[in-house]
Amino acid sequence: PVAADKFRLYRFKGKKRLSPEDYEVSHQGYYNKFVLEDPNRLVPLDAARTAEADGRIGALLEAFYSTAGVMQSVEKSREMGQGIACSLRHNGVDGVILTSTCGTSTRCGAYMACEIEIAGIPVVHVTNLTQISEGVGCSRILKGSNISHVFGNPDIPPEQEAEWRKRLFDRALALLEEVPALSSIEERMLKMESAAVNEKSLEAYRLTHIDGLDFIGNAENAEQAGVAEMLKGLPEPFKEDYSAHILSELAERNDFE
């Protein structure tokens, strides 16, 4: 797709790495052959699991966020970033590694990264097109391997590639711990008034489900509140999408564990 107006979460609970038979790519902005061969080249779960086992990170959220940022507008990029930031805070996430591929996808990812940081969650933007990310104003930027596989190195044997990816992931973790320059923090603080992440929208996310992952509350409460009340405070682009899901899926509650 182009100019996607939705993001989704995909579970990987219990998996040590992403397997190619379980995933597909729907994106017109880059040559996706390498990611189809090994999805860890874009979503580095294998390296993240190693860092988790070594105690470098406390725990992973057992799902990843995904959208297609190709040919996405700045306004929509920011709106999706605000929605993702709400979901991240709801799910207790305190650090993000965000990967981007082609030019407009990198621009979209950069604006989303800025909105997530406005919400108080540090983000490392991993992209081969670092100048785009710098121009948007991202605070933590890591240059990836290639536009088509930022966490991949298909020119070397798989075992060596896995080790190479772990080293790049460790660099991303180190960047997460860095404190940006004061000027960057001040600039982001000036943007706070435009962010949609506030207590009202957070409460709306608590009442509704987060892209099919979980519900907070129960069906009886949801019916009493009504769909309109549940959607109050959500960023506008997501209201229609959520209203189509809520009541139909409440009957089959699927708590996120």
Side-chain angles (χ1 to χ4, degrees), residues 201-222:
S201 58
L202 284 173
E203 180 61 23
Y205 271 89
R206 293 187 186 103
L207 287 172
T208 187
H209 75 301
I210 306 300
D211 279 6
L213 272 181
D214 64 343
F215 291 97
I216 304 299
N218 55 48
E220 181 181 356
N221 291 339

mmCIF file of all heavy atoms in Angstrom, residues 201-222:
data_model
loop_
_atom_site.group_PDB
_atom_site.id
_atom_site.type_symbol
_atom_site.label_atom_id
_atom_site.label_comp_id
_atom_site.label_asym_id
_atom_site.label_seq_id
_atom_site.Cartn_x
_atom_site.Cartn_y
_atom_site.Cartn_z
ATOM 1 N N SER A 201 -6.841 10.784 25.958
ATOM 2 C CA SER A 201 -6.648 9.767 24.931
ATOM 3 C C SER A 201 -6.119 8.479 25.532
ATOM 4 O O SER A 201 -6.445 7.386 25.078
ATOM 5 C CB SER A 201 -5.698 10.269 23.832
ATOM 6 O OG SER A 201 -4.451 10.635 24.357
ATOM 7 N N LEU A 202 -5.313 8.582 26.572
ATOM 8 C CA LEU A 202 -4.829 7.377 27.233
ATOM 9 C C LEU A 202 -5.980 6.592 27.858
ATOM 10 O O LEU A 202 -6.037 5.372 27.782
ATOM 11 C CB LEU A 202 -3.796 7.738 28.306
ATOM 12 C CG LEU A 202 -2.403 8.117 27.806
ATOM 13 C CD1 LEU A 202 -1.560 8.619 28.973
ATOM 14 C CD2 LEU A 202 -1.721 6.930 27.152
ATOM 15 N N GLU A 203 -6.908 7.315 28.465
ATOM 16 C CA GLU A 203 -8.052 6.640 29.065
ATOM 17 C C GLU A 203 -8.893 5.957 27.994
ATOM 18 O O GLU A 203 -9.408 4.860 28.201
ATOM 19 C CB GLU A 203 -8.905 7.642 29.841
ATOM 20 C CG GLU A 203 -10.130 7.035 30.513
ATOM 21 C CD GLU A 203 -9.758 5.972 31.538
ATOM 22 O OE1 GLU A 203 -8.613 5.983 32.049
ATOM 23 O OE2 GLU A 203 -10.608 5.132 31.836
ATOM 24 N N ALA A 204 -9.019 6.603 26.837
ATOM 25 C CA ALA A 204 -9.759 5.980 25.744
ATOM 26 C C ALA A 204 -9.101 4.685 25.306
ATOM 27 O O ALA A 204 -9.771 3.692 25.041
ATOM 28 C CB ALA A 204 -9.854 6.943 24.561
ATOM 29 N N TYR A 205 -7.780 4.672 25.262
ATOM 30 C CA TYR A 205 -7.083 3.449 24.895
ATOM 31 C C TYR A 205 -7.241 2.376 25.960
ATOM 32 O O TYR A 205 -7.255 1.189 25.659
ATOM 33 C CB TYR A 205 -5.588 3.731 24.656
ATOM 34 C CG TYR A 205 -5.281 4.104 23.237
ATOM 35 C CD1 TYR A 205 -5.328 5.439 22.843
ATOM 36 C CD2 TYR A 205 -4.960 3.157 22.283
ATOM 37 C CE1 TYR A 205 -5.061 5.806 21.540
ATOM 38 C CE2 TYR A 205 -4.689 3.507 20.977
ATOM 39 C CZ TYR A 205 -4.740 4.842 20.609
ATOM 40 O OH TYR A 205 -4.474 5.186 19.321
ATOM 41 N N ARG A 206 -7.355 2.792 27.225
ATOM 42 C CA ARG A 206 -7.556 1.800 28.281
ATOM 43 C C ARG A 206 -8.930 1.147 28.135
ATOM 44 O O ARG A 206 -9.115 -0.015 28.473
ATOM 45 C CB ARG A 206 -7.441 2.464 29.659
ATOM 46 C CG ARG A 206 -6.034 2.969 29.980
ATOM 47 C CD ARG A 206 -5.950 3.466 31.411
ATOM 48 N NE ARG A 206 -4.662 4.072 31.663
ATOM 49 C CZ ARG A 206 -4.453 5.382 31.727
ATOM 50 N NH1 ARG A 206 -5.457 6.219 31.565
ATOM 51 N NH2 ARG A 206 -3.248 5.856 31.955
ATOM 52 N N LEU A 207 -9.909 1.905 27.670
ATOM 53 C CA LEU A 207 -11.265 1.383 27.540
ATOM 54 C C LEU A 207 -11.449 0.534 26.290
ATOM 55 O O LEU A 207 -12.311 -0.333 26.244
ATOM 56 C CB LEU A 207 -12.276 2.533 27.513
ATOM 57 C CG LEU A 207 -12.508 3.242 28.846
ATOM 58 C CD1 LEU A 207 -13.366 4.471 28.635
ATOM 59 C CD2 LEU A 207 -13.159 2.305 29.847
ATOM 60 N N THR A 208 -10.666 0.799 25.283
ATOM 61 C CA THR A 208 -10.825 0.054 24.041
ATOM 62 C C THR A 208 -9.655 -0.892 23.858
ATOM 63 O O THR A 208 -8.790 -0.988 24.711
ATOM 64 C CB THR A 208 -10.957 1.016 22.848
ATOM 65 O OG1 THR A 208 -11.281 0.249 21.692
ATOM 66 C CG2 THR A 208 -9.680 1.773 22.570
ATOM 67 N N HIS A 209 -9.595 -1.615 22.752
ATOM 68 C CA HIS A 209 -8.517 -2.556 22.526
ATOM 69 C C HIS A 209 -7.395 -1.898 21.742
ATOM 70 O O HIS A 209 -7.595 -0.923 21.052
ATOM 71 C CB HIS A 209 -9.016 -3.794 21.805
ATOM 72 C CG HIS A 209 -9.281 -3.594 20.349
ATOM 73 N ND1 HIS A 209 -10.172 -2.667 19.871
ATOM 74 C CD2 HIS A 209 -8.764 -4.222 19.276
ATOM 75 C CE1 HIS A 209 -10.209 -2.726 18.566
ATOM 76 N NE2 HIS A 209 -9.356 -3.661 18.165
ATOM 77 N N ILE A 210 -6.211 -2.426 21.888
ATOM 78 C CA ILE A 210 -5.049 -1.891 21.195
ATOM 79 C C ILE A 210 -4.778 -2.795 19.997
ATOM 80 O O ILE A 210 -4.093 -3.802 20.076
ATOM 81 C CB ILE A 210 -3.821 -1.839 22.131
ATOM 82 C CG1 ILE A 210 -4.156 -1.080 23.412
ATOM 83 C CG2 ILE A 210 -2.627 -1.204 21.431
ATOM 84 C CD1 ILE A 210 -4.583 0.352 23.212
ATOM 85 N N ASP A 211 -5.395 -2.449 18.883
ATOM 86 C CA ASP A 211 -5.188 -3.174 17.619
ATOM 87 C C ASP A 211 -5.283 -4.687 17.763
ATOM 88 O O ASP A 211 -4.427 -5.426 17.294
ATOM 89 C CB ASP A 211 -3.834 -2.797 17.034
ATOM 90 C CG ASP A 211 -3.904 -1.475 16.303
ATOM 91 O OD1 ASP A 211 -4.942 -0.803 16.344
ATOM 92 O OD2 ASP A 211 -2.919 -1.130 15.670
ATOM 93 N N GLY A 212 -6.320 -5.156 18.459
ATOM 94 C CA GLY A 212 -6.550 -6.591 18.532
ATOM 95 C C GLY A 212 -5.728 -7.306 19.574
ATOM 96 O O GLY A 212 -5.850 -8.509 19.745
ATOM 97 N N LEU A 213 -4.882 -6.582 20.314
ATOM 98 C CA LEU A 213 -4.033 -7.259 21.289
ATOM 99 C C LEU A 213 -4.735 -7.449 22.626
ATOM 100 O O LEU A 213 -4.626 -8.496 23.235
ATOM 101 C CB LEU A 213 -2.751 -6.455 21.528
ATOM 102 C CG LEU A 213 -1.597 -6.756 20.590
ATOM 103 C CD1 LEU A 213 -0.401 -5.905 20.955
ATOM 104 C CD2 LEU A 213 -1.215 -8.219 20.678
ATOM 105 N N ASP A 214 -5.383 -6.408 23.112
ATOM 106 C CA ASP A 214 -5.959 -6.570 24.439
ATOM 107 C C ASP A 214 -7.149 -5.662 24.663
ATOM 108 O O ASP A 214 -7.373 -4.701 23.953
ATOM 109 C CB ASP A 214 -4.916 -6.330 25.533
ATOM 110 C CG ASP A 214 -4.385 -4.897 25.528
ATOM 111 O OD1 ASP A 214 -4.568 -4.197 24.525
ATOM 112 O OD2 ASP A 214 -3.784 -4.498 26.534
ATOM 113 N N PHE A 215 -7.915 -6.012 25.687
ATOM 114 C CA PHE A 215 -8.989 -5.170 26.158
ATOM 115 C C PHE A 215 -8.755 -4.891 27.637
ATOM 116 O O PHE A 215 -8.314 -5.756 28.367
ATOM 117 C CB PHE A 215 -10.353 -5.864 26.020
ATOM 118 C CG PHE A 215 -10.789 -6.040 24.607
ATOM 119 C CD1 PHE A 215 -10.583 -7.242 23.957
ATOM 120 C CD2 PHE A 215 -11.403 -5.016 23.932
ATOM 121 C CE1 PHE A 215 -10.994 -7.432 22.650
ATOM 122 C CE2 PHE A 215 -11.825 -5.188 22.626
ATOM 123 C CZ PHE A 215 -11.622 -6.395 21.978
ATOM 124 N N ILE A 216 -9.044 -3.674 28.050
ATOM 125 C CA ILE A 216 -9.051 -3.341 29.471
ATOM 126 C C ILE A 216 -10.506 -3.082 29.836
ATOM 127 O O ILE A 216 -11.171 -2.237 29.241
ATOM 128 C CB ILE A 216 -8.208 -2.096 29.772
ATOM 129 C CG1 ILE A 216 -6.777 -2.317 29.253
ATOM 130 C CG2 ILE A 216 -8.203 -1.771 31.246
ATOM 131 C CD1 ILE A 216 -6.074 -3.500 29.899
ATOM 132 N N GLY A 217 -11.021 -3.783 30.824
ATOM 133 C CA GLY A 217 -12.443 -3.720 31.132
ATOM 134 C C GLY A 217 -13.115 -4.985 30.632
ATOM 135 O O GLY A 217 -12.465 -5.962 30.294
ATOM 136 N N ASN A 218 -14.429 -4.985 30.542
ATOM 137 C CA ASN A 218 -15.124 -6.174 30.082
ATOM 138 C C ASN A 218 -16.282 -5.797 29.175
ATOM 139 O O ASN A 218 -16.582 -4.627 28.966
ATOM 140 C CB ASN A 218 -15.618 -7.004 31.270
ATOM 141 C CG ASN A 218 -16.478 -6.181 32.210
ATOM 142 O OD1 ASN A 218 -17.383 -5.487 31.775
ATOM 143 N ND2 ASN A 218 -16.192 -6.253 33.506
ATOM 144 N N ALA A 219 -16.930 -6.795 28.607
ATOM 145 C CA ALA A 219 -17.979 -6.534 27.633
ATOM 146 C C ALA A 219 -19.136 -5.747 28.235
ATOM 147 O O ALA A 219 -19.694 -4.855 27.604
ATOM 148 C CB ALA A 219 -18.485 -7.862 27.067
ATOM 149 N N GLU A 220 -19.484 -6.062 29.475
ATOM 150 C CA GLU A 220 -20.602 -5.363 30.106
ATOM 151 C C GLU A 220 -20.297 -3.872 30.224
ATOM 152 O O GLU A 220 -21.126 -3.027 29.897
ATOM 153 C CB GLU A 220 -20.869 -5.960 31.484
ATOM 154 C CG GLU A 220 -22.044 -5.298 32.189
ATOM 155 C CD GLU A 220 -22.282 -5.895 33.568
ATOM 156 O OE1 GLU A 220 -21.575 -6.873 33.923
ATOM 157 O OE2 GLU A 220 -23.168 -5.394 34.276
ATOM 158 N N ASN A 221 -19.084 -3.547 30.692
ATOM 159 C CA ASN A 221 -18.703 -2.143 30.814
ATOM 160 C C ASN A 221 -18.695 -1.460 29.457
ATOM 161 O O ASN A 221 -19.085 -0.299 29.322
ATOM 162 C CB ASN A 221 -17.317 -2.028 31.455
ATOM 163 C CG ASN A 221 -17.332 -2.429 32.911
ATOM 164 O OD1 ASN A 221 -18.378 -2.420 33.553
ATOM 165 N ND2 ASN A 221 -16.172 -2.784 33.436
ATOM 166 N N ALA A 222 -18.207 -2.196 28.441
ATOM 167 C CA ALA A 222 -18.126 -1.610 27.106
ATOM 168 C C ALA A 222 -19.510 -1.268 26.566
ATOM 169 O O ALA A 222 -19.726 -0.201 25.997
ATOM 170 C CB ALA A 222 -17.417 -2.570 26.158
#
